[in-house]
Amino acid sequence: MELPYSLDVYFALMGDYNARWLPVVLSAWVLAALIAALTLRLQRRAAKWISRCLAGYLAASCLWVGVAHQLDMMAELNFMAPYYAAAWIGQGVMLTWFSLSPTGINLGFRSSLARTLSTALILFALVIHPLILLIQGYDWTSLPLAGTAPNPTAILMVGLLLALRTPPRLLFALPLAWAAVAGASAYMLDHAVDYIVVISIVSAVLLALFERHGPARSW
Amino acid sequence: MQTQRLIFNRRRLLFSALGASLTPLFSTDPAAKPGTLIRRKIPATGEEIPALGMGTWITFNVGGSERLRRRRLAVLRRFLELGGGMIDSSPMYGSSQEVIGWCLKRLENKQGLFSATKVWTPYGTSAESQIREAAALWAVDRFDLMQIHNLVDWEAHLQTLRQAKAEGRIRYIGITTSHGGRHSEMERIMAAQSLDFVQFTYNILDREAEARLLPLARERGLGVIINRPFQGGGLFPLVRDKPLPGWVKEFDCSNWAQFFLKFIISHPSVTCAIPATSRVAHMEENMGALRGRLPEPKIRRRMVRFIEDL
């Protein structure tokens, strides 16, 4: 099995995509860093407000990835992209609902392991993933960044979802499905860094779904 | 339209008569002169095409990037300059057809182009719209060859293709498969249906087609297009850092790409191999296989032994 495009073409088009949407790409990354920092150092009084921001940010990111990255950029390269776009948009709609719902989602790490993994995944999505690609020799202008490109956004998403007291299980379906896509791409494009994407997402999903319910630390 | 059809039919009749009466359809001419392009006759008509074409899977799928399109334009220009003919694509190949059309519009000299693409849809009724869309993307009035990709919904598509051929919008029709898949089904279709071309995988490592498909194609008078001639690039790691053996001079081979391609086009049933590349230097290496002598059967066996011993 092969993908219908090469890694070189993907990163060249990522360069065009980043240049075209530069203000959005940079704003999305900065906002992600801000929300991550607030989530990891959240305050009791602001918790509800932060959780709405978190869900709202993830919703906007998913909708953006679905429409701009998958439909607008990738659909001309890959016949599967419209299906992926539909999944990302579906996730965006669900997250929008959670961000607006009166009950919404509640912040609160369920364990120190969840906090550690969440921190690690957020750092990986925002900083380490692009650094690895830079070290591999990709131009900084073509780096896929959290908030606007699917792989780092999926990792950021599971990292942030781990910061929820009771993360809705349905929200893990897309990251898990995306882990399968990333794994297949890693194999077919011989791009080892994408295996880390798979490991990151799967470990977060396993922890979120199967961790024993201890006393949740909530704010 | 009617006049065009008459001219087309007359030309076809003439080619058929020539094909039937002149030299054997699949003469490999191992003693071809160094400067002469190696050409093969299309069994259905006797029309000759260069024995090397160009595939576009992955390599021409570069989306809207003008920088990458210009690089593909250089590859395509060199391909035609060096005597290449068939360009093969498919709706499955992402933006490849659009990129081919973009390149063709910018080429002053398109002489020798043999346009080949495919229909690829599980819905028989949408084949017609795919043909029209492909013609618009390539900016051609008619295709030289329209194939059914991977035998998808082939029964319905074959009717559409035959109708388009009868109307002169397609010159030849064919079916394809790749990666060694669905050979049995392809064999059944080849035996039962009237086709002009078949396309499948064949290379020095994957020689499954030698057993049935290649002999059957010859028996049925079908043109044979060979995809994945380098096994998807997998042949080159086998010979990395290995020098060419001295005996390759016997068939005017100067690099490994030519070694692999000459093995394929020296098979008497093969009409055209379609290697894909995104680099001009690789295109030049590949197209070198279109000139000079071809390996004789004894040398072909030696080539196989050499690769199997690696």
Side-chain angles (χ1 to χ4, degrees):
Chain A
M1 283 291 288
E2 291 169 306
L3 286 176
Y5 56 89
S6 68
L7 213 49
D8 289 346
V9 167
Y10 176 75
F11 278 97
L13 293 187
M14 270 308 302
D16 294 347
Y17 172 84
N18 285 343
R20 183 177 175 195
W21 301 111
L22 188 61
V24 180
V25 171
L26 292 180
S27 308
W29 190 89
V30 170
L31 266 176
L34 192 65
I35 286 169
L38 284 171
T39 304
L40 295 174
R41 298 174 62 84
L42 38 85
Q43 304 292 314
R44 185 188 292 266
R45 279 178 304 174
K48 197 69 190 171
W49 175 77
I50 294 168
S51 64
R52 285 192 188 282
C53 283
L54 183 153
Y57 173 80
L58 287 179
S61 294
C62 288
L63 292 171
W64 182 269
V65 167
V67 174
H69 192 278
Q70 291 298 308
L71 270 186
D72 191 47
M73 177 188 140
M74 289 303 293
E76 62 179 352
L77 291 188
N78 186 0
F79 56 86
M80 289 299 290
Y83 303 104
Y84 300 153
W88 281 95
I89 291 167
Q91 180 85 346
V93 170
M94 274 198 293
L95 281 160
T96 304
W97 186 85
F98 280 112
S99 71
L100 300 175
S101 145
T103 51
I105 49 177
N106 297 307
L107 287 173
F109 291 107
R110 291 196 294 175
S111 65
S112 56
L113 179 60
R115 174 186 277 274
T116 305
L117 187 58
S118 171
T119 309
L121 291 174
I122 290 167
L123 272 176
F124 182 76
L126 290 172
V127 182
I128 299 169
H129 183 259
L131 270 179
I132 290 174
L133 293 174
L134 272 179
I135 292 165
Q136 282 189 323
Y138 293 105
D139 194 88
W140 66 272
T141 58
S142 64
L143 295 177
L145 293 179
T148 49
N151 282 358
T153 302
I155 299 170
L156 178 73
M157 183 157 34
V158 290
L160 288 173
L161 290 177
L162 280 182
L164 301 183
R165 198 182 308 162
T166 48
R169 292 188 169 199
L170 202 54
L171 290 180
F172 286 102
L174 174 104
L176 204 54
W178 194 256
V181 173
S185 303
Y187 175 74
M188 289 187 272
L189 296 174
D190 196 18
H191 193 225
V193 71
D194 283 354
Y195 287 121
I196 308 176
V197 176
V198 180
I199 293 165
S200 304
I201 294 172
V202 170
S203 57
V205 172
L206 287 176
L207 184 67
L209 298 185
F210 300 112
E211 190 185 32
R212 288 184 64 185
H213 285 270
R217 255 192 271 169
S218 61
W219 286 269
Chain B
M1 179 63 84
Q2 203 168 21
T3 314
Q4 279 180 335
R5 199 182 305 159
L6 281 172
I7 293 168
F8 176 64
N9 288 342
R10 196 170 61 177
R11 186 186 301 155
R12 184 184 169 150
L13 190 67
L14 184 64
F15 277 131
S16 303
L18 282 169
S21 61
L22 294 177
T23 53
L25 289 178
F26 299 100
S27 108
T28 55
D29 190 11
K33 290 174 189 170
T36 311
L37 283 180
I38 300 169
R39 299 173 72 86
R40 289 284 176 273
K41 285 179 176 156
I42 298 170
T45 58
E47 176 186 358
E48 283 193 342
I49 58 170
L52 278 183
M54 185 182 83
T56 56
W57 167 245
I58 299 176
T59 53
F60 271 61
N61 186 16
V62 300
S65 167
E66 179 151 346
R67 182 168 52 93
L68 296 179
R69 285 182 176 207
R70 292 211 172 274
R71 289 188 197 164
R72 277 24 175 212
L73 173 61
V75 171
L76 188 54
R77 178 178 282 125
R78 199 71 186 118
F79 168 71
L80 291 173
E81 282 171 357
L82 292 170
M86 180 183 293
I87 298 174
D88 178 74
S89 194
S90 167
M92 187 198 175
Y93 301 172
S95 58
S96 292
Q97 295 199 104
E98 187 187 340
V99 174
I100 291 167
W102 187 92
C103 293
L104 290 176
K105 277 180 199 164
R106 283 156 182 80
L107 281 178
E108 310 75 34
N109 185 6
K110 296 184 270 286
Q111 198 174 4
L113 169 69
F114 187 96
S115 54
T117 190
K118 308 180 187 84
V119 288
W120 177 67
T121 163
Y123 313 109
T125 49
S126 51
E128 185 57 51
S129 65
Q130 278 200 345
I131 295 171
R132 279 198 298 271
E133 188 184 358
L137 289 170
W138 286 60
V140 294
D141 296 330
R142 68 174 180 179
F143 278 99
D144 293 302
L145 170 61
M146 186 64 67
Q147 304 152 97
I148 300 167
H149 194 132
N150 274 345
L151 310 180
V152 175
D153 200 12
W154 66 268
E155 283 166 304
H157 292 329
L158 204 50
Q159 290 180 18
T160 310
L161 264 52
R162 282 182 179 142
Q163 179 65 30
K165 184 180 173 183
E167 292 168 4
R169 293 183 287 126
I170 292 169
R171 295 177 59 218
Y172 300 102
I173 60 176
I175 54 173
T176 79
T177 182
S178 66
H179 296 72
R182 305 180 74 176
H183 278 195
S184 301
E185 190 176 359
M186 176 168 255
E187 194 181 329
R188 282 197 299 275
I189 301 169
M190 286 167 69
Q193 300 291 332
S194 170
L195 301 164
D196 301 311
F197 275 95
V198 286
Q199 181 184 143
F200 45 79
T201 298
Y202 172 60
N203 58 58
I204 200 162
L205 264 192
D206 181 353
R207 302 188 306 279
E208 190 189 336
E210 284 178 351
R212 305 181 71 92
L213 293 185
L214 285 164
L216 180 61
R218 187 169 194 174
E219 181 190 319
R220 298 279 295 157
L222 301 174
V224 174
I225 301 165
I226 298 300
N227 58 38
R228 295 175 62 80
F230 301 135
Q231 189 76 341
L235 292 178
F236 291 106
L238 295 176
V239 294
R240 186 170 294 146
D241 301 327
K242 291 195 166 52
L244 282 165
W247 45 266
V248 302
K249 288 176 188 161
E250 292 180 40
F251 56 96
D252 303 315
C253 169
S254 55
N255 56 55
W256 284 112
Q258 290 170 18
F259 183 96
F260 299 133
L261 290 172
K262 287 203 169 194
F263 173 80
I264 293 168
I265 63 174
S266 61
H267 191 287
S269 297
V270 170
T271 310
C272 182
I274 48 169
T277 181
S278 57
R279 298 183 191 178
V280 171
H282 289 176
M283 177 57 76
E284 287 170 346
E285 282 186 7
N286 293 349
M287 295 305 284
L290 202 51
R291 287 176 165 78
R293 293 167 293 176
L294 288 174
E296 294 170 353
K298 188 178 153 191
I299 300 286
R300 281 173 52 85
R301 287 194 291 275
R302 191 173 185 181
M303 292 166 86
V304 170
R305 280 200 306 275
F306 182 85
I307 293 297
E308 285 180 343
D309 288 346
L310 287 174

